[in-house]
Amino acid sequence: MSGRTEKWERRWQKLVGYANPYRLQHLLGRARWNEEEVCAEVRDYVVEHLNDGAGILAIDETSFLKKGEESVGVGRQYCGLTGQVENCQVGVFLAYISSKGQSLI
């Protein structure tokens, strides 16, 4: 990550109560992650706290407009946000939704 604070970093700082971006930058840029363990933790949380027996899975794609070409997956492609071919990034998300809440998984 760059040294400058991005908009999303400021939003996260405010949400979690951090005074500066360094903890989040470390978590996202330098901390060691075991993807399988993180997925297992999220799955266990969803099953324990959000499962109501009638939940559904929802899949959705979202476009992010991009001005540069340095982010992974950025290119000229259809952008649902604008309805045109734009320089953007597309993310596909899966969520579990129930009467008890929702979570990206």
Side-chain angles (χ1 to χ4, degrees):
M1 288 188 179
S2 69
R4 70 182 201 278
T5 303
E6 301 292 339
K7 286 183 192 177
W8 67 268
E9 287 177 303
R10 285 193 294 272
R11 277 188 245 139
W12 274 98
Q13 283 172 228
K14 185 175 181 179
L15 181 67
V16 298
Y18 294 160
N20 59 54
Y22 306 123
R23 288 181 184 180
L24 290 173
Q25 287 175 347
H26 173 75
L27 177 66
L28 298 174
R30 295 180 296 278
R32 294 192 181 266
W33 291 66
N34 180 317
E35 295 87 7
E36 291 177 8
E37 287 181 20
V38 172
C39 288
E41 285 286 327
V42 171
R43 182 186 61 241
D44 292 347
Y45 175 87
V46 167
V47 168
E48 182 179 343
H49 297 283
L50 302 180
N51 185 13
D52 68 357
I56 64 167
L57 292 175
I59 191 166
D60 185 41
E61 72 174 38
T62 301
S63 303
F64 306 94
L65 285 172
K66 295 290 186 173
K67 293 182 181 174
E69 296 180 0
E70 296 182 18
S71 298
V72 174
V74 171
R76 292 197 53 79
Q77 55 194 318
Y78 177 76
C79 180
L81 186 65
T82 63
Q84 302 177 53
V85 174
E86 301 270 1
N87 201 37
C88 70
Q89 196 175 40
V90 177
V92 180
F93 301 92
L94 179 65
Y96 178 81
I97 304 166
S98 75
S99 62
K100 294 182 176 182
Q102 64 276 335
S103 176
L104 291 175
I105 55 174

